Amino acid sequence: MSRLLPLRMRRKLFAALISVAIASIAALGQHLHWWQASTAPMQTASANSYTIDHFVDGDTIAVNMNGTIEKVRFIGVDTPETHKPDTPVQCYGPEAAAYTKKLIGNNRVRLEADSKSTDRDRYNRLLRYVYIPNGTNVNEALIQTGHGFYYPYFPFTKSGEFATAEQQAQAAHAGLWQACRPTPTDDGGYISNNQT
């Protein structure tokens, strides 16, 4: 049959078959997320990736958003206080602040809003999940390592994961769960009292 078609037609048919094969492989690859890992580095340099202006405490940072400095409060986690007005420095507060600073370092951070959460808190800070380039969720890492508490006072989509992370940190006596005497509060959080 190939001898019945002129050479030019065979080339066009061959090119069309190759195009269909490439398009099919590309569609299958997208469906199966073959290229997800290769696109991750591009996501960290996206429009919602920012440099740190300064560290406020364990659960709050300030980022440079195109020349505007915005304070960002981490969703779903509360760290012991280090400089809240009329509040003494709480047990493990300095350690939590140092951990956040070390974990983020000089990296750019990617900020992610939560559809169940408000955009800003009562202090006008942005409420966000904070990710570093390797994909680590800083909010959850604080809870997993015992540098912060799961904070369920406001609804957010990752609350189940964060509650589990806190249970595991408590069971392992990680961080403040060993060094301090956490006392539950009425809003579902804790106050980090000094160990007696």
Side-chain angles (χ1 to χ4, degrees):
M1 178 176 173
S2 62
R3 292 183 182 222
L4 297 176
L5 292 175
L7 182 59
R8 180 177 278 176
M9 289 285 286
R10 283 185 289 183
R11 285 182 180 163
K12 285 184 179 181
L13 181 60
F14 181 72
L17 289 172
I18 293 294
S19 296
V20 168
I22 291 171
S24 298
I25 291 170
L28 180 63
Q30 281 184 327
H31 178 72
L32 297 176
H33 305 289
W34 289 347
W35 297 284
Q36 186 173 12
S38 66
T39 61
M42 291 192 304
Q43 291 171 351
T44 60
S46 68
N48 61 351
S49 174
Y50 305 100
T51 58
I52 301 292
D53 182 73
H54 63 276
F55 293 88
V56 178
D57 61 17
D59 58 31
T60 307
I61 57 175
V63 299
N64 185 332
M65 295 183 128
N66 306 317
T68 301
I69 305 306
E70 285 276 5
K71 285 190 178 175
V72 178
R73 174 66 165 80
F74 302 177
I75 294 173
V77 61
D78 190 31
T79 60
E81 299 298 338
T82 56
H83 57 269
K84 183 177 181 179
D86 302 321
T87 303
V89 172
Q90 294 178 347
C91 181
Y92 229 70
E95 291 84 351
Y99 177 79
T100 298
K101 189 172 186 177
K102 182 179 178 184
L103 182 61
I104 294 173
N106 293 324
N107 289 306
R108 291 177 68 88
V109 293
R110 180 172 59 85
L111 304 178
E112 183 180 295
D114 187 307
S115 60
K116 285 189 174 181
S117 181
T118 60
D119 188 53
R120 293 184 181 268
D121 68 5
R122 63 183 172 168
Y123 304 109
N124 202 34
R125 299 175 296 188
L126 288 173
L127 295 172
R128 298 290 187 269
Y129 297 111
V130 178
Y131 293 89
I132 54 177
N134 70 5
T136 298
N137 179 322
V138 177
N139 314 38
E140 187 172 15
L142 283 161
I143 298 168
Q144 289 171 333
T145 59
H147 287 89
F149 303 106
Y150 159 59
Y151 190 60
Y153 188 64
F154 299 103
F156 61 102
T157 56
K158 297 182 184 294
S159 63
E161 298 164 46
F162 285 20
T164 299
E166 182 175 87
Q167 291 167 357
Q168 292 169 347
Q170 280 181 302
H173 303 288
L176 56 78
W177 296 107
Q178 179 177 347
C180 309
R181 189 172 36 85
T183 304
T185 60
D186 293 337
D187 62 5
Y190 288 92
I191 294 175
S192 184
N193 297 308
N194 289 332
Q195 187 78 333
T196 56

